[in-house]
Amino acid sequence: MYLRLIVALVAAKMAMYLSRLTGRGRGSSLPGMLALRIYPELLKHYQGQPRKGVIMTTGTNGKTTTSNMLADILEKTGSRVVTNREGANLITGVATAFIKSSTLSSKLNSDYVVLEVDEAAFPVVTQWIKPDRVIVTNFFRDQLDRYGELDTTVGKVLDALKKLPRDVELILNADDPLVARLARETGWTTIYYGVRPDASISSTAAYSREAKFCPFCGGTLVYNVYLYSQLGDFKCPQCGFARPQPNIEAIDVISDATGTRATTRVSSDSYRGIWPLFIPVQGIYNIYNGLAAFATALSLGVVPEKAVLSLTSFTPATGRMELFRYGNKRVTLTLVKNPTGFNQALTGLLAQNERQDVMIAINDNDADGRDISWLWDVDFEVLARNPERFSRFICSGQRAEDMALRLKYAGVSPSLLITEKDYLRAVEMALCGEGAAVGMLATYTALWPVEKILGQKAERVSFSADRVPSVS
């Protein structure tokens, strides 16, 4: 058995080395896949090794950003962290994260393990690695061919949480009724985070709304304010289930081209007070990610000022509202994978002041979801209602024609639509268009080739701790 463990680790580390040497792939899943095939019980050797704990993030959207934000905070305060930064969140990616930081005898030198874990993989991963804290971001409809209906996804996560040790702590999104319900149904200790319901930042659109009914009595949930999708100030008039008061709550949220800022009220066992929060990426959903990381860091004993400072200089992972500069043009690259996330990406496009060229790359590989019918649940009609904001739309990827058809039915003028399946030509067309800015949106398997091309032609923009953008 010990020999199989060493063989598995040697094979995995060789795969990592060859991946870096050849430049083919990111080496974030294949090493773990190889190791688990050779030795399926690999992960049990890492259980209990982190000196201070294991934190897992699951949910539909925001896992990568939240997990990376928390890992950054912990590393910048002096901790050694094992994490899967690239977003490989199935059991193969989790195994790869451990292997990268492991000796050939499966020994780790780490204070924390911070992992994002796919919702469907969460029950499997937690059989091998028991988290001390679990962050749940949100639950939205995602790839139906992979996850099934949303109730199935929530049920799998709930069942897995119930099987964890009683001392586990949950960090839950108070504004999502599908997430907030988990506290009552598990009985575990919970820290809530959320955004104060404010009509000035609410969404009036009715698209992609889940959780219309109370999970406890079946009554219709009533909302005072929707923030987006089903997130907001909810209450069940029949049984009283309602949005819990968050321990960490964002107030006065403002999002613009430079990033997203808020005043954050903290009321926890360790800290009470108000701290300013700035994250150099757009979108109210990124405030949720920041709040989740901030809340978890405080629960781990990090001083609020240090956590806030770390978030100020956060650099998003590939495709998470990643910022580039092409000449004088601002270029934003965003991963899209489900209706709610796509709608938020479109909101980000409309938040730009400049006229834009937009490239949308849609694939239907296994990682993207074979069923692309979800595109018809996205509110592309908002683009047609604002034609003055866009120069043209370049549709690329394996399902470029389907994307163009969806935009046509949304009311976008056919004269603004271009179909170009080749990524290189599509990126060049977007960068050299008439718009003063460029928005690029891509599904999983389209994201990486688009990012590679964009990285060769444009300069990445990062932020320092004093919020000054720099080009690298």
Side-chain angles (χ1 to χ4, degrees), residues 143-160:
Q143 303 161 13
L144 291 177
D145 51 346
R146 286 189 60 216
Y147 298 101
E149 290 295 336
L150 188 56
D151 286 346
T152 302
T153 301
V154 177
K156 287 181 178 179
V157 173
L158 175 60
D159 288 344

Side-chain angles (χ1 to χ4, degrees), residues 125-415:
V125 173
T126 52
Q127 287 180 7
W128 296 103
I129 303 294
K130 302 299 182 186
D132 302 285
R133 287 171 174 79
V134 178
I135 304 168
V136 185
T137 57
N138 46 60
F139 288 117
F140 302 124
R141 269 182 301 137
D142 211 342
Q143 303 161 13
L144 291 177
D145 51 346
R146 286 189 60 216
Y147 298 101
E149 290 295 336
L150 188 56
D151 286 346
T152 302
T153 301
V154 177
K156 287 181 178 179
V157 173
L158 175 60
D159 288 344
L161 289 174
K162 288 179 176 179
K163 294 175 183 177
L164 295 178
R166 296 192 62 84
D167 58 352
V168 69
E169 186 171 77
L170 305 183
I171 296 88
L172 302 182
N173 186 341
D175 300 344
D176 186 344
L178 295 176
V179 174
R181 61 182 281 191
L182 299 176
R184 184 194 296 187
E185 292 182 275
T186 61
W188 302 151
T189 300
T190 299
I191 296 173
Y192 292 105
Y193 65 92
V195 175
R196 178 171 293 180
D198 186 337
S200 67
I201 59 172
S202 68
S203 171
T204 57
Y207 52 73
S208 302
R209 263 190 201 141
E210 313 295 344
K212 295 182 179 179
F213 303 103
C214 175
F216 299 106
C217 73
T220 301
L221 292 177
V222 176
Y223 281 76
N224 290 323
V225 174
Y226 280 111
L227 295 177
Y228 73 92
S229 196
Q230 79 269 11
L231 274 62
D233 186 12
F234 62 87
K235 183 175 182 178
C236 174
Q238 290 187 198
C239 73
F241 172 58
R243 174 187 184 262
Q245 177 59 44
N247 305 96
I248 288 84
E249 185 175 44
I251 307 166
D252 302 327
V253 179
I254 299 174
S255 184
D256 56 30
T258 64
T260 310
R261 52 182 53 80
T263 300
T264 307
R265 182 190 58 79
V266 177
S267 178
S268 67
D269 292 338
S270 303
Y271 299 100
R272 291 182 181 273
I274 293 177
W275 283 268
L277 185 63
F278 173 82
I279 303 169
V281 281
Q282 286 180 258
I284 186 174
Y285 54 93
N286 278 311
I287 276 292
Y288 278 105
N289 298 334
L291 289 173
F294 186 45
T296 309
L298 296 190
S299 77
L300 294 170
V302 177
V303 175
E305 290 79 6
K306 291 186 177 180
V308 166
L309 183 63
S310 174
L311 290 170
T312 300
S313 57
F314 174 71
T315 300
T318 299
R320 276 66 176 187
M321 293 295 288
E322 195 176 8
L323 185 61
F324 294 80
R325 183 72 63 183
Y326 180 77
N328 293 324
K329 293 185 179 183
R330 176 188 177 92
V331 184
T332 305
L333 177 62
T334 306
L335 169 70
V336 289
K337 60 173 184 165
N338 53 47
T340 297
F342 215 137
N343 286 329
Q344 289 302 301
L346 297 182
T347 299
L349 291 181
L350 291 169
Q352 306 294 327
N353 294 322
E354 308 99 331
R355 187 174 172 84
Q356 297 173 75
D357 290 281
V358 178
M359 172 187 164
I360 306 176
I362 303 295
N363 281 354
D364 62 350
N365 296 311
D366 285 339
D368 309 292
R370 295 289 186 182
D371 180 2
I372 64 163
S373 63
W374 62 272
L375 292 174
W376 293 86
D377 293 326
V378 179
D379 186 27
F380 290 112
E381 285 72 14
V382 71
L383 303 177
R385 292 194 294 269
N386 295 272
E388 75 285 352
R389 309 292 294 274
F390 305 102
S391 296
R392 57 182 176 175
F393 297 89
I394 300 123
C395 301
S396 188
Q398 297 164 349
R399 303 305 290 265
E401 294 89 352
D402 297 84
M403 187 65 249
L405 180 67
R406 175 66 184 95
L407 291 175
K408 179 181 178 181
Y409 272 90
V412 175
S413 171
S415 65

Side-chain angles (χ1 to χ4, degrees), residues 8-53:
L9 291 171
V10 169
K13 287 182 177 290
M14 286 184 64
M16 287 182 199
Y17 172 75
L18 290 174
S19 178
R20 290 194 297 267
L21 186 66
T22 61
R24 299 180 64 181
R26 293 170 286 141
S28 57
S29 293
L30 178 61
M33 184 185 301
L34 286 174
L36 289 170
R37 284 184 178 178
I38 296 169
Y39 187 48
E41 297 184 347
L42 173 79
L43 286 176
K44 75 176 183 181
H45 292 275
Y46 298 112
Q47 174 64 31
Q49 287 200 46
R51 289 182 285 271
K52 296 183 179 180

